[in-house]
Amino acid sequence: MANKLNIGLFGFGCVGQGLYHVLNNSSGFTSNITKIAVKDKSKPRTLGSDIFTFNKYDILDNPEINVIVELIDDADEAFEIVKYAIQKGKHVVTANKKLVATHLQELYELQKKHNVSLLYEASTCGSIPIIRTLEEYFDNEQLNKVSGIFNGTTNYILTKTITDKISYQIALKQAQEKGFAESDPTSDVEGFDSKYKAIIIALHAFGVFAKPNDVLNIGITTLHDNDIKYASEKGYKIKLVPTIKHTDNKVSMYVLPKFIKQENPLFFVENEFNGVIVEGEFSGEQFLKGRGAGGHPTGAAVLSDISALSYEYKYAFKKLNQTLKNTIDNNIFIKAYIRYNTLINLEVLGADQIFEQYTGEDYHYAVALVNINQLLLQRDYILKNNLFIAELGEGVSATVKKSIANEALEISQAE
Ligand SMILES: NC(=O)c1ccc[n+]([C@@H]2O[C@H](COP(=O)([O-])OP(=O)(O)OC[C@H]3O[C@@H](n4cnc5c(N)ncnc54)[C@H](OP(=O)(O)O)[C@@H]3O)[C@@H](O)[C@H]2O)c1
């Protein structure tokens, strides 16, 4: 790999401009942005017109450019750009989680075949160096779980609605005004964004390739005042928490709102901040917190990847290449709070053990064991019926489900 980096940049929006600023204000590292590709010819630019191009091949076919930094907001076009660049033997840095998660296995094979480096630290939890931490520090230790708050927009909305008691709509508008939320916030609030990040983390933490359609994501769109009241009466905060868990070479993963107690470090992760908890077999629990979005924090993560290229850094994917392979298995049960406004059959959610149930006039809830695979199958039903589902406690495997349920029943009878 050439140590002199000639960069072709795609995108000069929030992150592209953030990177440009961070790059020009960083000491000890120089690199050269040769050309910047953008889309809208009528947009005023903060740099001279010479540096911009509207033709991607001006960058992709330029033999002087050996590094592509991809920071556009269109995942399909980004995939075409990244694929073409890798096939041309160029190293790539990207911040696009949807692109990476959707094509993870193909991109892994491509970078291997063409012997180039593909780095994507900024795609996952903004400024938190989670990919490099998993790759470099936890490369050999077996991990039991990685979970956290991976999305700044939803965390901002939940902080404002729960702690500051402002409405969901106003909180969302504020997040958009502050540049955390996109004009179409669906990917954030329905948990897709968190799911893409969980898929990327699952590869580096557990060596598995998960497909987005096979991973459950339930977001915060159905959150109701009654859910907030239930949670706060019991001392919980509500956070959107992706969980990737490992037991006996099986990896389960899902994105769900979760009721969090004060003992959990995520309780204190507020506003646009992200937090990641890594649980190692021997090292125990580690907690990383940082800004999950914004031009400068994300630009700083992109700069770190560019800088890593200068010393020929590549991901080693050690967890993928370990002898004992992990497989994905979402046939697990979790304890969950389920709120429904019209009476439903809870068996649809695989809820065969109910610990607590309340039936009011237009507000009902149950606390039950539910099956992750079943929730995935019933995602449309859950959204159509406006159910709010939040995890309580930790996931349990199907085999130990019965004994835990019986234990819980004994406790509730004793009470
Ligand atoms: N914003 C964040 O806090 C954040 C955090 C982590 C990761 N990311 C990821 O970083 C990437 C960029 O996000 P952003 O917030 O910077 O987006 P943005 O502000 O909307 O900017 C997007 C940029 O991409 C350019 N673009 C779009 N389509 C293009 C094409 N076909 N060819 C060339 N340029 C094209 C746009 O050009 P014009 O200027 O001509 O419109 C614009 O400069 C996304 O993948 C996002 O998921 C963002």
Side-chain angles (χ1 to χ4, degrees):
M1 187 184 300
N3 284 335
K4 168 117 178 64
L5 308 179
N6 278 327
I7 298 171
L9 174 62
F10 282 84
F12 201 61
C14 177
V15 183
Q17 292 184 55
L19 168 70
Y20 196 87
H21 191 246
V22 171
L23 200 54
N24 284 321
N25 288 281
S26 299
S27 54
F29 178 73
T30 48
S31 76
N32 183 23
I33 294 186
T34 308
K35 229 22 178 188
I36 304 173
V38 283
K39 191 176 177 188
D40 184 346
K41 290 186 176 163
S42 64
K43 234 185 217 181
R45 304 286 169 187
T46 49
L47 303 175
S49 60
D50 284 2
I51 198 164
F52 291 103
T53 177
F54 301 95
N55 178 0
K56 62 183 174 186
Y57 297 108
D58 282 351
I59 291 179
L60 292 171
D61 288 339
N62 182 340
E64 300 293 313
I65 292 176
N66 56 1
V67 173
I68 299 298
V69 176
E70 182 289 300
L71 302 174
I72 72 170
D73 56 346
D74 173 343
D76 294 334
E77 178 60 12
F79 178 59
E80 295 307 319
I81 291 166
V82 168
K83 194 170 158 185
Y84 192 97
I86 293 175
Q87 285 166 339
K88 282 264 171 178
K90 296 182 196 297
H91 308 291
V92 175
V93 173
T94 177
N96 196 323
K97 57 245 134 181
K98 185 177 179 190
L99 150 80
V100 177
T102 311
H103 301 282
L104 195 51
Q105 188 150 9
E106 187 178 351
L107 289 171
Y108 164 77
E109 304 290 353
L110 265 178
Q111 55 89 42
K112 200 168 142 190
K113 180 175 169 196
H114 294 276
N115 193 26
V116 296
S117 186
L118 168 67
L119 304 179
Y120 38 79
E121 187 65 72
S123 69
T124 306
C125 303
S127 64
I128 300 177
I130 183 61
I131 305 297
R132 216 93 62 81
T133 301
L134 294 170
E135 272 287 307
E136 300 306 311
Y137 187 83
F138 293 111
D139 56 342
N140 284 303
E141 185 183 350
Q142 181 180 296
L143 299 179
N144 295 332
K145 189 162 100 171
V146 181
S147 62
I149 293 168
F150 298 176
N151 181 269
T153 303
T154 44
N155 204 41
Y156 184 87
I157 294 171
L158 288 170
T159 303
K160 294 296 168 194
T161 50
I162 296 169
T163 311
D164 298 358
K165 306 206 179 338
I166 65 173
S167 78
Y168 181 97
Q169 285 312 328
I170 291 175
L172 172 60
K173 196 158 170 281
Q174 278 185 7
Q176 285 167 328
E177 282 163 4
K178 286 172 183 280
F180 309 139
E182 318 244 342
S183 48
D184 176 5
T186 312
S187 181
D188 292 327
V189 295
E190 290 194 4
F192 287 96
D193 177 271
S194 295
K195 169 162 87 172
Y196 299 140
K197 293 165 180 170
I199 287 173
I200 297 169
I201 284 177
L203 173 61
H204 295 275
F206 302 106
V208 291
F209 287 111
K211 293 196 170 63
N213 283 346
D214 297 340
V215 180
L216 172 72
N217 61 296
I218 302 279
I220 61 165
T221 48
T222 57
L223 179 69
H224 188 274
D225 283 350
N226 283 328
D227 308 318
I228 298 175
K229 190 163 168 270
Y230 175 92
S232 59
E233 277 174 7
K234 292 187 165 12
Y236 293 115
K237 275 186 191 167
I238 304 171
K239 301 287 186 186
L240 184 64
V241 179
T243 301
I244 315 144
K245 214 173 141 64
H246 172 264
T247 328
D248 300 331
N249 296 111
K250 298 259 165 64
V251 176
S252 53
M253 53 197 293
Y254 52 90
V255 177
L256 274 173
K258 184 167 180 171
F259 288 171
I260 300 282
K261 281 243 156 140
Q262 212 163 339
E263 294 77 45
N264 188 320
L266 299 178
F267 191 91
F268 301 101
V269 178
E270 300 283 45
N271 296 313
E272 78 276 22
F273 278 83
N274 283 191
V276 185
I277 304 172
V278 180
E279 291 180 36
E281 175 74 12
F282 301 104
S283 56
E285 192 177 288
Q286 314 278 328
F287 174 55
L288 294 92
K289 180 185 168 195
R291 285 183 196 280
H296 282 153
T298 314
V302 175
L303 173 65
S304 181
D305 275 352
I306 296 172
S307 169
L309 287 178
S310 68
Y311 55 86
E312 308 193 0
Y313 179 76
K314 289 179 84 170
Y315 296 145
F317 301 98
K318 281 211 194 137
K319 290 287 166 70
L320 182 64
N321 298 314
Q322 67 193 8
T323 329
L324 226 49
K325 306 284 182 217
N326 290 322
T327 54
I328 297 169
D329 177 8
N330 282 318
N331 186 23
I332 63 152
F333 288 79
I334 60 160
K335 195 172 177 189
Y337 160 93
I338 306 144
R339 192 261 308 137
Y340 39 104
N341 295 342
T342 50
L343 287 174
I344 56 155
N345 182 357
L346 288 168
E347 280 180 26
V348 174
L349 310 176
D352 61 345
Q353 302 286 337
I354 298 169
F355 305 124
E356 191 186 332
Q357 199 161 16
Y358 170 80
T359 306
E361 256 181 44
D362 56 357
Y363 164 57
H364 323 285
Y365 73 79
V367 173
L369 288 181
V370 287
N371 183 283
I372 293 296
N373 269 345
Q374 197 63 19
L375 295 186
L376 182 63
L377 283 173
Q378 298 298 340
R379 189 174 184 276
D380 289 345
Y381 175 88
I382 291 165
L383 294 179
K384 204 176 96 205
N385 286 286
N386 231 8
L387 308 190
F388 181 74
I389 302 183
E391 183 175 11
L392 274 163
E394 298 306 319
V396 288
S397 79
T399 45
V400 296
K401 178 191 72 149
K402 287 280 179 214
S403 62
I404 288 190
N406 289 340
E407 210 176 280
L409 279 177
E410 278 166 25
I411 293 168
S412 69
Q413 277 160 9
E415 281 170 352

